[in-house]
Amino acid sequence: MSVRSPKSETVCSPVSFVIAPTLLAQSRPLLGEPVGTGWTQVLDKGAHGDNFLARAVMNFVGLAANVVEENCSYNTYVDATGEPLTGAGDRTYRIDLADPPPAEAFWSITVYEAESGRLYDAPDARYSVGSGGPGSPEGPALITVSTAPPTDSSTWLPCPPYPFFLVLRMYRPTAAATTGQWRPPPVRRRPGRR
């Protein structure tokens, strides 16, 4: 389901300014089109036309977002079973990127707080995992998302002990990403964990 504003000739009232933040927050998970793996792909960044609600939501979650040809992004609030992502109860998630994101420049996965939409203030300033830095995975990768580091923390993405969401970004995405031939794999809860 995409964010779409209703066509209306009504003038904004003071009440509109009260309900607007709630409407934007509720619309945040709807930004994009579902790709069938729990993720949504944001397709029209920087090209919203007269879809003013989508434009407002995009500015609410990512001011000055790049156009899709420069940055292809996906977000998810749920795991493979449709349950909301949360670090409560020491949950551990895995993202198996056996087929790495098709980016000519680099890709990254970042954790944000579900309630506020803000970047999670992760331990040791470890805000994302991706292909863009020293020691980063260049090929297939198994990303672990959890509150505590796993034994091999090279592809660990810390999450908070409360609800969060993930954003996967590809810079200079290939046609496989922009046409939907490539899709991010589901976020799977690690067996044996709550």
Side-chain angles (χ1 to χ4, degrees):
M1 172 183 213
S2 291
V3 175
R4 189 82 193 147
S5 61
K7 300 240 181 212
S8 174
E9 298 297 323
T10 60
V11 176
C12 290
S13 70
V15 173
S16 299
F17 292 101
V18 173
I19 64 170
T22 302
L23 176 63
L24 291 173
Q26 291 172 345
S27 298
R28 189 171 52 213
L30 304 176
L31 189 62
E33 295 294 327
V35 299
T37 61
W39 296 82
T40 58
Q41 182 178 12
V42 183
L43 298 170
D44 59 358
K45 294 187 299 180
H48 299 292
D50 67 353
N51 188 343
F52 301 110
L53 181 57
R55 184 185 308 262
V57 172
M58 179 58 68
N59 284 318
F60 182 68
V61 301
L63 190 59
N66 296 324
V67 293
V68 73
E69 294 81 13
E70 295 175 7
N71 168 292
C72 181
S73 61
Y74 301 81
N75 55 55
T76 186
Y77 288 74
V78 298
D79 68 13
T81 66
E83 291 294 315
L85 296 172
T86 180
D90 293 327
R91 291 184 185 181
T92 297
Y93 300 95
R94 295 279 174 86
I95 305 167
D96 187 358
L97 294 170
D99 184 14
E104 291 179 2
F106 67 95
W107 60 267
S108 67
I109 299 177
T110 309
V111 174
Y112 294 88
E113 297 177 357
E115 187 173 325
S116 69
R118 293 188 175 122
L119 179 67
Y120 170 56
D121 188 13
D124 300 322
R126 192 175 185 126
Y127 303 114
S128 66
V129 170
S131 67
S136 298
E138 290 302 321
L142 182 62
I143 310 295
T144 299
V145 183
S146 62
T147 56
T151 305
D152 175 11
S153 63
S154 63
T155 56
W156 172 52
L157 185 56
C159 71
Y162 46 83
F164 64 91
F165 68 98
L166 300 169
V167 176
L168 185 153
R169 294 179 181 90
M170 288 178 272
Y171 291 88
R172 293 189 51 216
T174 68
T178 59
T179 62
Q181 290 175 305
W182 183 89
R183 293 179 289 167
V187 177
R188 299 196 185 279
R189 192 176 312 156
R190 185 173 168 198
R193 297 293 185 131
R194 289 194 257 166

